[in-house]
Amino acid sequence: MNNQSHRDVFIIGAGPSLCRFPFDKLKGRNTFAVKAVGEYLPWADFWFSMDANMIEQRLRRLKDFLGTKILAVKEGFNINQPYFDDVNFILKDNVGTIGFSWRSDCVYGKNSGFSCANFAATHGFKNIYLLGLDFTIGGYWYDMNSQHWINPRRVNGELEYRRDYINECKADFAIANKQCIERGINLISVGGYIPELQSVSLSVFIDLL
């Protein structure tokens, strides 16, 4: 990993596989904290989210975050708010899209971790390590007792089940992986939680840092 350090990027999600992970080993590298992870890793280089729900409250909890904040929003989203002073915006298009967008100003996907990987792929990174993208039901590494999204949620008037969402995200990653291989980009699932991708075990990954 060290020989390619400037081309490596580490996208850190909230999955419970990272409970007790030695995050300090990632300091000084190219790191993206996804969504609420930025509250716990304020030293990360970037914060990324494609979820604008309750965004004012989310940003308030990121007051100690030291890196660059990136929010992916739909076209027409009102970015002229005082709490957006230190936020960078990129376009989000996740209606009827598959795989990655290959425009540097736009990302695809229904999941912030996926969209973050899309952003990394179009901004010069060649080895994209996905940590904590477990796609499990309930539990975060910073709150193992969380019951978030145990039950179905309503999206655009329709019930969406967590298992269906997970399967859709994994299928999208499989498509994105084929696109990346064609472009010499490696998507690597740390822990192997996305079976469609290259993988490395968590213990081996830690030893290599």
Side-chain angles (χ1 to χ4, degrees):
M1 273 186 247
N2 291 331
N3 292 335
Q4 297 282 334
S5 60
H6 65 291
R7 306 182 81 185
D8 294 347
V9 65
F10 304 90
I11 295 175
I12 307 169
S17 67
L18 296 183
C19 182
R20 295 184 292 278
F21 181 86
F23 289 106
D24 283 353
K25 288 196 170 195
L26 291 175
K27 286 185 176 180
R29 298 174 181 264
N30 300 311
T31 50
F32 279 83
V34 178
K35 293 182 67 174
V37 172
E39 300 172 34
Y40 301 89
L41 304 179
W43 46 261
D45 296 292
F46 300 92
W47 170 82
F48 189 98
S49 179
M50 56 155 282
D51 185 357
N53 291 330
M54 299 185 296
I55 190 60
E56 183 177 1
Q57 295 93 317
R58 289 177 185 270
L59 291 173
R60 191 177 299 122
R61 293 195 293 269
L62 289 169
K63 60 182 175 58
D64 296 324
F65 188 79
L66 303 176
T68 300
K69 298 171 186 171
I70 303 170
L71 180 64
V73 297
K74 291 184 176 181
E75 189 170 1
F77 182 84
N78 181 12
I79 65 173
N80 296 313
Q81 301 293 337
Y83 44 84
F84 287 149
D85 285 349
D86 62 345
V87 176
N88 299 274
F89 294 94
I90 189 169
L91 184 64
K92 171 181 73 174
D93 184 359
N94 58 3
V95 178
T97 58
I98 58 173
F100 282 172
S101 161
W102 293 98
R103 291 169 44 189
S104 62
D105 64 341
C106 179
V107 293
Y108 291 168
K110 293 179 62 177
N111 173 272
S112 288
F114 181 93
S115 295
C116 186
N118 187 165
F119 181 87
T122 57
H123 286 79
F125 295 107
K126 295 300 182 183
N127 300 308
I128 302 172
Y129 292 90
L130 307 172
L131 296 87
L133 269 66
D134 301 357
F135 292 110
T136 55
I137 298 176
Y140 301 128
W141 61 259
Y142 49 79
D143 181 6
M144 293 296 284
N145 296 317
S146 172
Q147 297 296 300
H148 177 68
W149 202 0
I150 295 295
N151 300 311
R153 66 178 183 178
R154 193 166 293 278
V155 179
N156 297 325
E158 301 289 336
L159 282 179
E160 182 176 53
Y161 291 84
R162 178 69 169 172
R163 185 57 58 190
D164 293 337
Y165 168 83
I166 289 171
N167 290 337
E168 185 176 345
C169 287
K170 288 183 176 181
D172 221 9
F173 259 118
I175 295 169
N177 189 49
K178 291 178 181 178
Q179 295 173 320
C180 285
I181 290 172
E182 292 172 354
R183 293 165 171 82
I185 299 170
N186 299 304
L187 289 177
I188 304 155
S189 174
V190 177
Y193 295 96
I194 310 173
E196 294 78 5
L197 310 185
Q198 298 180 55
S199 67
V200 59
S201 73
L202 195 58
S203 59
V204 169
F205 176 80
I206 292 171
D207 287 342
L208 289 172
L209 288 174

